[in-house]
Amino acid sequence: MSEAVSALKGETHTGFATVAEAGLTGMVTIRADLADPALAAALAPLGLAVPALRQVTAAGGRSLGWMSPDELLLVCGYDEAPGLAATLAAALAASHALVVNVSDMRARFTVSGAKACEVMMKLCPLDFATLPAMEMRRTRAAQVAVALWRSGADEISLVCFRSVATYVMGLLEVSSRRGGEIF
């Protein structure tokens, strides 16, 4: 059996901000009625609550982001994603829900440093100056769909499809080159 590898094997570039492919990351998509008590009950053992509109909740090294009115994204350890997906699917078996391990079809990046927002301002139609911590946004980075959130004081996490990971890394690398600062 082949060994799992991330899209870009942890590639990193440092300019006026550091951009990095986060390596193997577990991701589980949960499609369900977010008001269903069964969903809250299924998440409770993980220490996670259903996030409010555009929010991200976190506990135990896992994050749960609001993706749409009926979709959540659980970000976790790569090795634990299959088990979490199976456990959540079983807990939601009596509900109208879909739980899928999407770890191998997505790539995650981090942009970090005091000027991380400047990198993203060049690529996305968002006001990063007003983006609060742990608020999930779905938008575009140049020509591709992404989900992103401020995952730390000077860090933005970004998720895209694995098939466009090289393109996204190129965008991030060029946008973070020294001399390209906005302010």
Side-chain angles (χ1 to χ4, degrees), residues 16-175:
F16 66 84
T18 299
V19 297
E21 190 247 0
L24 287 173
T25 302
M27 292 182 237
V28 177
T29 292
I30 304 164
R31 300 295 301 251
D33 176 355
L34 303 187
D36 184 349
L39 178 59
L43 294 170
L46 302 178
L48 294 167
V50 175
L53 176 73
R54 292 193 323 255
Q55 298 301 299
V56 176
T57 60
R62 300 177 186 122
S63 299
L64 184 65
W66 184 96
M67 295 288 279
S68 74
D70 68 347
E71 181 181 2
L72 302 174
L73 179 65
L74 174 62
V75 179
C76 58
Y78 181 82
D79 290 338
E80 69 178 337
L84 287 173
T87 299
L88 290 168
L92 295 169
S95 298
H96 182 70
L98 173 69
V99 181
V100 179
N101 177 3
V102 296
S103 305
D104 292 329
M105 66 180 274
R106 303 263 172 93
R108 184 171 152 249
F109 295 87
T110 58
V111 181
S112 57
K115 296 188 175 196
C117 286
E118 290 188 29
V119 174
M120 300 309 298
M121 285 177 192
K122 296 176 183 182
L123 302 174
C124 302
L126 287 177
D127 183 358
F128 283 91
T130 63
L131 181 67
M134 302 303 275
E135 180 171 305
M136 174 80 71
R137 294 291 182 96
R138 290 179 82 167
T139 186
R140 301 193 75 68
Q143 298 298 313
V144 297
V146 299
L148 57 83
W149 65 99
R150 190 181 302 276
S151 50
D154 290 328
E155 182 181 88
I156 296 169
S157 288
L158 179 144
V159 173
C160 66
F161 286 107
R162 183 183 180 109
S163 60
V164 295
T166 301
Y167 174 71
V168 170
M169 178 54 94
L171 294 171
L172 295 170
E173 187 274 323
V174 169
S175 295

